[in-house]
Amino acid sequence: MSLLSLSGVTASYGPTQVLFGVDLTLREGEVLALMGRNGMGKTTTVRVITRLLAHRDGEVRFAGADLAGKPPYRAAQMGLGLVPEGRRCFRGLTVGENLLVAARPGEWDMARVTALLPRLGERFGQDAASLSGGEQQMLAIGRALMTNPRLLILDEATEGLAPVLRQEIWTAIAGLRQETRLAILVIDKTLDELRRIADNAVILERGRTVWSGAFSGLTPELTDRYLGV
Amino acid sequence: MIAERWLNAALYLALLAVPLAAWALDEPFVITLATKIAILAIAGVGLNLALGLGGLVSLGHAAFFGIGGYAMGILASHAQSYTPLMQSPFLIEGTKSMPVIWLVAIVVSAAAALVIGALSLRTTGVYFIMVTLAFGQMLFFFAISWPAYGGEDGLSIYVRNGFPGLNTLDPIQFFAIAFVILSLVLILVSRLSRSAFGLALDGARQNVARAETVGINPFRVRLVAFTISGAITGLAGALFADLNRFVSPSMFSWQTSGEIMIFVILGGVARLYGPLAGAMLFILLEHFLGGISEFWHIYLGLVLLGVVLFARGGLIGTLSRAAAPHD
């Protein structure tokens, strides 16, 4: 049974339509890569899934429930954990407080999150705004895990980071993949890293799903056609 | 620069030491000034929970201050005239017991804040300011047109309400009551601001969408904060009415809301002891400049302008140089 499904989803920013028919399905425990060039609707799709943007047509279902009309906090409470683009932490709060603010009952607690992301443990009492970009990104991942999600959505989690930090984050994501059955929807441009963790992939082109299937089925022709610059 | 916690401690101890010294020197007027500072600081701490931590710019907190004041005035006036407040369907009599009056003031102002908050928190920005202002003004005009409790002239209470074991007519003992309540309110707000609830409120102030994506319902946390804030301000109103033994519609006026906000801004928005520093400065300016000129508000305006333009952290922020989220 699918955990998340989008069928024929359309969405607009004001009068500008951005999504013209997105279809995707993600099962429990699956890692799905959402791919496409810049501006093809990946982040908008994430905003629709997390209810930060209401879709116009089509259907978005999560854990068997229709998400239409539900506010973002309700989607988060249902188990949608978002690591947003751009490392957005709560300024003025410490690392520990940033984690505490998101805490919901479940298997992910402070100890487990800081075990997965040791840098957060080292910086626990430090103001989140004073962290480096990579550390803030780890904090965003930790904060999403503290909500005890059924589905973790990583939107460009390693974008703009130094290679060492990027590697550290991918190792943490791979660790998540191995240790838990947490479903993950990941958006990223690094094919090699996605290949390590993703089971399936969906490619968007101009706001439409143009290809979906097993990640191993991504041929060089497909990547050249839909992901090349 | 002074660490903020030392500055807070100095302010707190000064508020305690000055009336004690005045008591030793037999200067009851100074004790009354200190009591007024403590009570107004309580109102400011209440507003600061909504304004500083929650980012809710309420220009209607006088509504709760007035409700607290009228809770005291109505209950005490019925007690002094030996007439019941209500006879049917059940009997409610007046009271001169401070704890009972405080409880009523807290419950009624919290209920009013819950209703006003539930309606006004559906708006944001300037609309929120206007809706809260409108509620305050509605209650102001209601009090003016309520002849049973003095209407425009207000209501005088000829006795000081009682507290078990204390002589509340003794200025230093009444100060002790206000000081202890201020201390308890400071502890409560300090605990709240670092609790999961306070962090959620801060998060919702910083970025609603970000807060929602971690499962925080911004409306709910803001409504709870607004209700607690209103209850604290209502308690301050009851104490203020007891200090003056008088309540009037002016407690509901937008000028009162503005003055409570001025305490917060002068002392430092989102700083726990900011309202205490602001209330101290306000009362000192009122006392000293008011003695020189009846237009002392002009100087207050200049001070406020200076703080807003050059000292965004208020007195506490400027002296401690510690950054706060609102600076």
Side-chain angles (χ1 to χ4, degrees):
Chain A
M1 183 187 162
S2 66
L3 177 64
L4 173 73
S5 68
L6 276 72
S7 55
V9 169
T10 68
S12 307
Y13 291 109
T16 310
Q17 188 165 353
V18 180
L19 300 185
F20 294 85
V22 174
D23 303 287
L24 66 82
T25 303
L26 188 152
R27 294 183 306 277
E28 293 270 11
E30 177 186 338
V31 177
L32 177 71
L34 183 60
M35 306 168 85
R37 282 189 289 259
N38 285 341
M40 292 300 152
K42 303 186 296 294
T43 295
T44 302
T45 301
V46 166
R47 288 176 62 82
V48 166
I49 294 168
T50 54
R51 310 316 298 155
L52 290 168
L53 181 68
H55 59 285
R56 277 171 50 180
D57 297 308
E59 191 177 51
V60 182
R61 297 188 77 83
F62 178 70
D66 186 354
L67 291 184
K70 290 196 165 46
Y73 67 83
R74 185 73 197 105
Q77 290 168 357
M78 287 170 70
L80 279 163
L82 173 66
V83 179
E85 211 178 357
R87 315 182 263 281
R88 289 165 184 157
C89 61
F90 291 117
R91 302 174 72 84
L93 304 190
T94 65
V95 170
E97 288 169 341
N98 263 275
L99 295 176
L100 178 64
V101 77
R104 299 187 68 76
E107 59 183 7
W108 286 99
D109 55 15
M110 293 279 191
R112 193 162 178 208
V113 167
T114 51
L116 179 75
L117 302 159
R119 279 180 189 245
L120 299 185
E122 292 161 18
R123 306 271 190 271
F124 200 76
Q126 194 172 322
D127 188 335
S130 68
L131 299 179
S132 71
E135 288 166 342
Q136 287 191 29
Q137 192 62 67
M138 288 177 198
L139 178 56
I141 295 171
R143 195 179 60 197
L145 289 173
M146 287 294 287
T147 65
N148 274 287
R150 289 179 71 182
L151 168 62
L152 182 67
I153 302 173
L154 298 158
D155 187 1
E156 308 274 16
T158 61
E159 174 104 326
L161 297 182
V164 175
L165 286 166
R166 188 182 299 181
Q167 200 51 51
E168 205 170 321
I169 288 172
W170 279 115
T171 303
I173 296 168
L176 263 179
R177 176 84 180 107
Q178 284 170 357
E179 288 173 27
T180 68
R181 279 191 43 79
L182 183 62
I184 301 174
L185 177 66
V186 56
I187 298 175
D188 209 278
K189 294 188 182 71
T190 48
L191 275 174
D192 289 343
E193 297 297 346
L194 289 176
R195 191 166 286 120
R196 281 171 58 192
I197 62 162
D199 302 304
N200 294 310
V202 167
I203 298 177
L204 299 185
E205 174 84 355
R206 296 173 195 251
R208 280 191 178 83
T209 300
V210 290
W211 186 87
S212 63
F215 200 92
S216 55
L218 268 178
T219 60
E221 292 74 29
L222 280 170
T223 55
D224 280 351
R225 183 171 172 191
Y226 293 119
L227 309 177
V229 180
Chain B
M1 287 299 147
I2 312 160
E4 188 169 334
R5 65 176 182 280
W6 291 113
L7 194 58
N8 292 343
L11 286 170
Y12 184 78
L13 291 175
L15 182 66
L16 182 63
V18 169
L20 285 176
W23 179 50
L25 297 169
D26 196 22
E27 291 281 355
F29 178 70
V30 175
I31 301 172
T32 302
L33 277 186
T35 309
K36 194 173 173 185
I37 289 171
I39 293 169
L40 295 178
I42 295 168
V45 171
L47 175 63
N48 209 14
L49 178 64
L51 174 65
L53 202 59
L56 305 170
V57 186
S58 165
L59 205 52
H61 259 53
F64 315 123
F65 195 68
I67 285 171
Y70 270 81
M72 175 271 170
I74 290 169
L75 288 170
S77 70
H78 281 277
Q80 76 183 7
S81 64
Y82 300 102
T83 53
L85 190 64
M86 194 166 82
Q87 282 182 304
S88 67
F90 43 84
L91 180 69
I92 299 179
E93 295 194 272
T95 179
K96 291 178 188 170
S97 164
M98 278 188 184
V100 175
I101 287 169
W102 296 342
L103 184 65
V104 172
I106 288 170
V107 169
V108 176
S109 48
L114 186 67
V115 173
I116 293 173
L119 295 168
S120 58
L121 286 168
R122 296 178 192 284
T123 64
T124 55
V126 72
Y127 300 102
F128 177 79
I129 296 172
M130 288 298 113
V131 173
T132 52
L133 173 65
F135 275 110
Q137 288 304 98
M138 278 163 60
L139 288 170
F140 171 72
F141 288 109
F142 178 75
I144 280 181
S145 55
W146 201 9
Y149 297 107
E152 201 168 356
D153 297 329
L155 190 62
S156 292
I157 306 298
Y158 301 106
V159 292
R160 174 68 57 77
N161 295 307
F163 189 91
L166 292 178
N167 173 13
T168 55
L169 281 169
D170 180 1
I172 195 69
Q173 294 194 43
F174 190 73
F175 167 78
I177 289 171
F179 185 77
V180 168
I181 291 177
L182 172 64
S183 304
L184 293 174
V185 166
L186 285 169
I187 291 168
L188 172 73
V189 173
S190 170
R191 293 269 173 93
L192 271 180
S193 65
R194 285 297 159 200
S195 68
F197 164 77
L199 298 176
L201 183 63
D202 195 3
R205 177 186 60 77
Q206 289 190 38
N207 189 304
V208 171
R210 202 175 303 162
E212 285 196 279
T213 57
V214 295
I216 295 167
N217 179 344
F219 179 80
R220 184 179 293 177
V221 293
R222 285 171 173 167
L223 183 58
V224 171
F226 195 77
T227 303
I228 297 170
S229 167
I232 293 171
T233 308
L235 176 60
L239 287 165
F240 192 74
D242 229 332
L243 176 69
N244 298 322
R245 282 180 273 174
F246 177 69
V247 289
S248 78
S250 68
M251 288 183 79
F252 285 112
S253 72
W254 65 269
Q255 289 95 330
T256 303
S257 291
E259 283 182 2
I260 300 171
M261 195 176 286
I262 285 172
F263 308 148
V264 176
I265 295 169
L266 283 179
V269 177
R271 294 174 191 274
L272 184 62
Y273 283 74
L276 174 58
M280 276 180 170
L281 182 62
F282 185 91
I283 295 298
L284 289 175
L285 287 173
E286 183 184 43
H287 180 63
F288 290 108
L289 295 179
I292 298 168
S293 164
E294 63 178 300
F295 303 111
W296 71 276
H297 282 93
I298 293 171
Y299 304 108
L300 173 68
L302 289 174
V303 171
L304 189 61
L305 207 57
V307 167
V308 171
L309 290 177
F310 306 112
R312 292 291 291 277
L315 280 178
I316 303 266
T318 305
L319 293 173
S320 68
R321 284 284 168 91
H326 274 274
D327 295 353

